[in-house]
Amino acid sequence: MDAAALIEILTPLVPGAVFEAAPSVDFTTVFVPGDRLVETCLALRDTPSLRYNVLIEITAADYLPRTPRFEVVYHLLSIAHRRRLRIKVRVADGGYLPTVQNVWLAAGWPEREVWDMFGIIFDGHPDLRRILTPDDWVGHPARKDYPVQIKKAAQTYEPLEVTEEEFTANLERDRVRRQPT
């Protein structure tokens, strides 16, 4: 199914949304308006002729200095129809998108990753916190304006060193604890 055919199916299912075909070399790609993202995703999942029931990935691209700056990219799979789809949503710097975690539960961690790397907020996400960088990290490293030459001291920890006797004693103690009484 090409982008034009998909847009023809989606337009009556999501009234008021303006979809746009996007150039692609591999599979169908469509731009979706951010304020209609959840409705569009529900239509893609629940319409029998579409049935995009698997969210494969969510990622983003930073097109600084273009406005809107970001594109959030969703890769979907219809197992029943053996088709892939890429939907893209344009997001301004400081903008946000609604979470699609209520449509595909698998969206939780990829949305956290996009927030962590790009700073794009997913409104309604139940656990939007860092996933790839430490909790005390400042900034979002995949942004094109992120300072590459940062000075941060490496955090090192003392390795755990035990003697062979201590190791054996720990194993023996654990075995004793696991034996039924």
Side-chain angles (χ1 to χ4, degrees):
M1 176 181 300
D2 66 349
L6 180 67
I7 291 171
E8 190 175 318
I9 293 171
L10 282 176
T11 301
L13 296 173
V14 188
V18 178
F19 302 104
E20 179 187 337
S24 177
V25 296
D26 48 7
F27 47 89
T28 305
T29 304
V30 175
F31 280 103
V32 173
D35 62 335
R36 307 310 289 272
L37 176 63
V38 174
E39 290 173 80
T40 302
C41 290
L42 285 168
L44 288 167
R45 185 193 68 186
D46 297 339
T47 303
S49 62
L50 301 175
R51 291 186 46 199
Y52 286 96
N53 53 343
V54 179
L55 172 70
I56 297 173
E57 172 184 30
I58 303 173
T59 189
D62 184 354
Y63 291 103
L64 183 74
R66 188 186 80 182
T67 302
R69 178 176 175 172
F70 300 103
E71 285 181 5
V72 177
V73 183
Y74 298 79
H75 290 139
L76 308 176
L77 172 66
S78 171
I79 295 172
H81 301 294
R82 300 182 66 181
R83 289 192 297 243
R84 291 178 179 262
L85 171 66
R86 179 183 299 118
I87 60 174
K88 294 183 174 186
V89 183
R90 294 179 179 109
V91 182
D93 193 8
Y96 62 91
L97 287 176
T99 183
V100 295
Q101 197 169 358
N102 293 331
V103 181
W104 296 290
L105 191 58
W109 284 27
E111 286 178 348
R112 284 178 57 189
E113 181 178 326
V114 169
W115 176 80
D116 193 5
M117 294 289 103
F118 293 92
I120 298 168
I121 296 170
F122 291 90
D123 195 31
H125 192 286
D127 189 24
L128 196 60
R129 59 188 167 98
R130 295 207 179 265
I131 191 169
L132 297 174
T133 57
D135 290 337
D136 61 346
W137 196 267
V138 177
H140 304 280
R143 295 171 66 110
K144 288 193 176 178
D145 59 356
Y146 186 77
V148 178
Q149 303 298 324
I150 61 172
K151 303 281 190 244
K152 182 171 177 164
Q155 294 178 342
T156 58
Y157 302 96
E158 292 291 321
L160 178 63
E161 293 182 20
V162 294
T163 65
E164 187 174 340
E165 292 80 23
E166 291 171 319
F167 181 76
T168 306
N170 288 339
L171 283 177
E172 221 23 69
R173 185 184 67 236
D174 287 346
R175 256 190 232 125
V176 170
R177 286 185 186 163
R178 289 190 203 132
Q179 291 180 355
T181 54

